[in-house]
Amino acid sequence: MTSSEMPDFTAEYATPLYATQQQTQAHTQTQTQGLWYPTEMWRLMIVHRTELTYPDTVTTSYNEVRMQPLEEPGQSVLSSRMEIDPFEGVTAYADYYGTRVAAFDLHRPHRHLTITSTSTVETFTPPEDPARQPLSWEELSASDANDRFEEFLTPTALTELSDELAGRAEKIREEAATPADAARAACDLVRRVVRYEQGATGVHTSAVEAWEEKRGVCQDFSHLVCALIRATGIPARYVSGYLHPAPESEIGRAVVGQSHAWVEWWDGAWNAFDPTNGAPPGLAHVVVGRGRDYTDVPPVKGVYAGPDATGNTVTVRVTRLR
């Protein structure tokens, strides 16, 4: 009997919307007598299914699933359910970074494991704070960001920089008038140099490897941007979620999607940006979790006792309901 790591399931990420449709959406709000409500809203149903099959019996497995969207400004979760086969009970909790986790153990023999997460989410653009002013470099240095967000300033195995990339980060810092300018410059650099190519990299590809190959998926774009932004002294975190890949599709039509990744940086408040698409996240984006890099937010991870899986199938279907 051997103990094996559970495979990772999101080597393929959502195809970018290069044009980008998010920039043409009217993200407007109305405020009446002190009450705010969005004038544009999407309702999305997301079905994420993972199925593993084994050539022989697996006796025990320990699993964590991160597939359920968050309730937060900009999105409201109307319903969310998890179906697991075989089922022996689930423990639900929020991890250190606030991501919803469904943890479960299987202690009976099985030759397949199927996990299906079905969620319905409404997305909208939250109101802006009129008093919000991005920090200057001096204000950022004088803030408590180094202590509050130490984990989002420290390189990880997937976000370490080569000498070349460290030099790029230093140049970005020198030329940027503000931290916000530096963050956007890092996003622009990665999108300009790295070509989006589905299947070119895997979940264990580092930022340096993607940079050297000059190609990758949005996971790689996000790792590179996080690495560069952190090197300038700005806290940056990795965001995992879903992206409706065809915003022009008619209401009610299910489309094939994948997981998606983007970034957030802090300069007095958290700012979200999708470096793969070169625009802030829009109504087509749904947040599932945040962390230092991909390893903090994989959809499924765990260990099991038994033979290597002979097949794993992942499908994501996204339907715009309104």
Side-chain angles (χ1 to χ4, degrees):
M1 181 172 64
T2 61
S3 180
S4 303
E5 289 189 4
M6 189 69 71
D8 293 306
F9 300 105
T10 52
E12 299 300 332
Y13 275 69
T15 303
L17 307 175
Y18 289 115
T20 159
Q21 288 92 339
Q22 280 93 338
Q23 293 174 321
T24 66
Q25 294 167 346
H27 293 188
T28 57
Q29 302 87 31
T30 299
Q31 186 166 347
T32 304
Q33 297 180 343
L35 298 175
W36 173 90
Y37 61 91
T39 58
E40 186 175 8
M41 177 186 297
W42 280 22
R43 181 175 294 172
L44 299 168
M45 183 173 69
I46 302 155
V47 182
H48 186 164
R49 177 184 173 91
T50 295
E51 183 173 7
L52 285 83
T53 56
Y54 309 96
D56 204 345
T57 301
V58 170
T59 57
T60 306
S61 68
Y62 305 87
N63 313 276
E64 291 181 357
V65 178
R66 291 169 173 82
M67 291 183 181
Q68 295 174 291
L70 295 176
E71 180 78 28
E72 64 176 37
Q75 66 183 42
S76 178
V77 181
L78 303 184
S79 66
S80 184
R81 73 176 187 271
M82 187 82 66
E83 300 170 84
I84 300 168
D85 180 29
F87 179 77
E88 287 191 358
V90 172
T91 299
Y93 64 92
D95 69 14
Y96 175 77
Y97 299 106
T99 304
R100 297 176 65 184
V101 181
F104 63 95
D105 304 340
L106 291 175
H107 297 290
R108 57 187 167 114
H110 56 281
R111 297 187 64 168
H112 81 277
L113 174 61
T114 303
I115 304 164
T116 305
S117 173
T118 304
S119 301
T120 302
V121 184
E122 287 186 338
T123 61
F124 50 90
T125 301
E128 295 184 2
D129 180 0
R132 149 80 170 137
Q133 292 293 328
L135 299 182
S136 65
W137 286 112
E138 293 75 16
E139 291 169 330
L140 180 61
S141 296
S143 72
D144 60 353
N146 285 345
D147 292 329
R148 288 177 61 194
F149 306 119
E150 179 183 4
E151 62 266 42
F152 299 129
L153 286 163
T154 304
T156 66
L158 294 178
T159 61
E160 290 180 333
L161 295 181
S162 62
D163 290 342
E164 178 192 357
L165 283 169
R168 296 269 191 160
E170 183 177 356
K171 183 177 180 181
I172 287 172
R173 173 65 178 83
E174 292 172 351
E175 295 179 351
T178 67
D181 291 337
R184 287 296 298 270
C187 293
D188 292 344
L189 171 64
V190 172
R191 190 162 186 263
R192 187 173 65 249
V193 174
V194 180
R195 181 179 75 256
Y196 183 91
E197 185 177 321
Q198 200 166 34
T201 56
V203 294
H204 301 298
T205 301
S206 69
V208 170
E209 290 169 336
W211 178 262
E212 291 175 347
E213 290 291 326
K214 298 296 186 290
R215 58 180 182 165
V217 293
C218 44
Q219 171 188 298
D220 305 297
F221 281 59
S222 298
H223 282 154
L224 274 164
V225 168
C226 282
L228 289 166
I229 292 177
R230 290 171 186 168
T232 69
I234 305 168
R237 59 192 184 187
Y238 181 100
V239 186
S240 178
Y242 301 107
L243 174 66
H244 191 301
E248 304 304 322
S249 294
E250 62 270 22
I251 303 297
R253 176 171 174 255
V255 298
V256 177
Q258 291 90 27
S259 298
H260 193 54
W262 57 98
V263 302
E264 293 175 346
W265 70 81
W266 190 88
D267 62 350
W270 288 105
N271 305 267
F273 197 82
D274 182 347
T276 308
N277 290 299
L283 301 179
H285 291 71
V286 174
V287 177
V288 170
R290 298 176 173 88
R292 296 162 298 177
D293 58 29
Y294 169 83
T295 61
D296 287 331
V297 287
V300 181
K301 72 176 180 180
V303 295
Y304 66 93
D308 291 340
T310 55
N312 55 73
T313 304
V314 179
T315 60
V316 178
R317 299 193 69 83
V318 184
T319 306
R320 184 179 172 190
L321 303 178
R322 59 169 289 183

